[in-house]
Amino acid sequence: MVNKLLSKATNMEQLFLRFLVGKSKIYKEDDYNDGLNEKEENNQDLNPEQENGWNQRILLSVEKERKMRVLEEKKLEERRKALLISRFQRSLLTTVNAKLTKTQTIISEHLQMHKECIELLTTLIVKDTRYSVLAELLDRNPHARNHVIGLVSNQDFMGRLGRSNRIVHDIQTAVGMIGINGLRYLIPALMFKRRINIYNQHNRLFTRKLWRYQLTLGQACTSLMLEEDYHRPYEGQMLSAMLNFAYTASFNEYLASFDHVRTDMIMAARKQDQGKVHDFFYELSSDLASLQSLLITKSDLMMSIALATPVFSKDFPHLIVALTEEVKGIEFDKRTQLGKILFKAVYFAKYEQLRAARLFKGEWLADYLKTAHIDQAAFQLLSKQELFRFKPDW
């Protein structure tokens, strides 16, 4: 029975990974159908006009030969593009993997875990601090500061806190209106959302799905922490972000290396006077296959431990322990309290994404929850809270 459950869990993990790096969407939207144009062309070929006479037969023969030539030229062009894409993918993945070995550079450039950011998170979550101190730290993190000021004028957001919205221009007033506890949940979510880079130009579908998963995971951790009376439940979003550091860093390096490799290939084609090759790389805007290959190679998430440890081991060693237990697949009963919470939250967050994408079958649920160590009451609590939407009112 245990082996059967483990097998189903492995299959679900593979299904989730295919969803995350593939074209499946959370929301209803027309899927791409790569065979549609080909089907239309074939249908046209099957319905030529039929006319009698010798001249017409010659014309049909000539037209048939012309179509054959066009088809052969199209096949040659497709093979040429396939070779160029393969060459681009190899160069891109080689470049990305080489740069991902530079841990400190990745932490500062792609995760943007600079001194001011870490100080803000540590002060906010670990310490009891005054509004003035928190406002000063937010001033050193302009994006988070501006976002907080903007949210204070948002009627829906402030309404969920049971407070009136106002247009303000200084961060200390905004901090006072939201309150320290509210900011403990809000600031990590804002900062880590920005790290994922959801406004990139290459693959917004992936980043939207990753952010939805990360927010759901973080808030599932928070919900479970509150149920177990854990003393700092606002650490949930940090734990979620740490687990996804491998994906976040890899994707951001992919974006940077994509432009670098593409520019190099454009310049090389220009020097060699290869006009068609130059135009091909100039018009290349996205390469989903290489992104999928990259993320699949990082799906063991070992890189997340390497990136999170230098940043959080001093002030949040317990989070590093829970992260390590999850990534290394430690048995549930041998985990720490946070390790068990993260285990359950991961299972629920993956279920929620697959459910929303209509990829999770109802008959799988009982076995899935048993593997996840989630009882029915906890599952119902997690489900009804819509954890894919930010909750400012814990």
Side-chain angles (χ1 to χ4, degrees), residues 2 34 44 210 244 286:
V2 174
D34 293 336
Q44 292 169 2
L210 180 61
N244 284 316
S286 184

Side-chain angles (χ1 to χ4, degrees), residues 88-89 92-93 254 258 287-295:
F88 178 82
Q89 290 173 350
L92 177 58
L93 291 175
Y254 161 85
F258 182 97
D287 181 41
L288 182 59
S290 61
L291 174 60
Q292 290 176 338
S293 178
L294 171 64
L295 295 173

Side-chain angles (χ1 to χ4, degrees), residues 65-79:
E65 290 177 2
R66 185 192 69 79
K67 287 188 175 182
M68 290 298 293
R69 287 197 303 273
V70 170
L71 184 60
E72 287 299 320
E73 289 173 1
K74 183 179 179 181
K75 289 180 179 179
L76 286 172
E77 181 68 11
E78 289 174 350
R79 284 197 290 269

Side-chain angles (χ1 to χ4, degrees), residues 257-278:
S257 295
F258 182 97
D259 289 331
H260 175 74
V261 172
R262 188 172 73 106
T263 299
D264 284 351
M265 290 190 167
I266 289 172
M267 296 304 295
R270 185 178 297 171
K271 287 181 181 179
Q272 297 172 20
D273 199 24
Q274 296 175 324
K276 289 186 176 181
V277 175
H278 172 279

Side-chain angles (χ1 to χ4, degrees), residues 20 193 195-214 247-248 251-252 255 291 295:
L20 191 63
K193 179 181 180 181
R195 303 304 184 260
I196 288 178
N197 198 354
I198 64 172
Y199 303 110
N200 74 89
Q201 298 178 355
H202 289 283
N203 197 315
R204 294 185 183 181
L205 176 59
F206 164 73
T207 50
R208 286 197 301 268
K209 289 190 290 187
L210 180 61
W211 169 241
R212 191 181 193 276
Y213 167 64
Q214 183 166 307
Y247 287 144
T248 304
F251 180 70
N252 278 284
L255 294 180
L291 174 60
L295 295 173

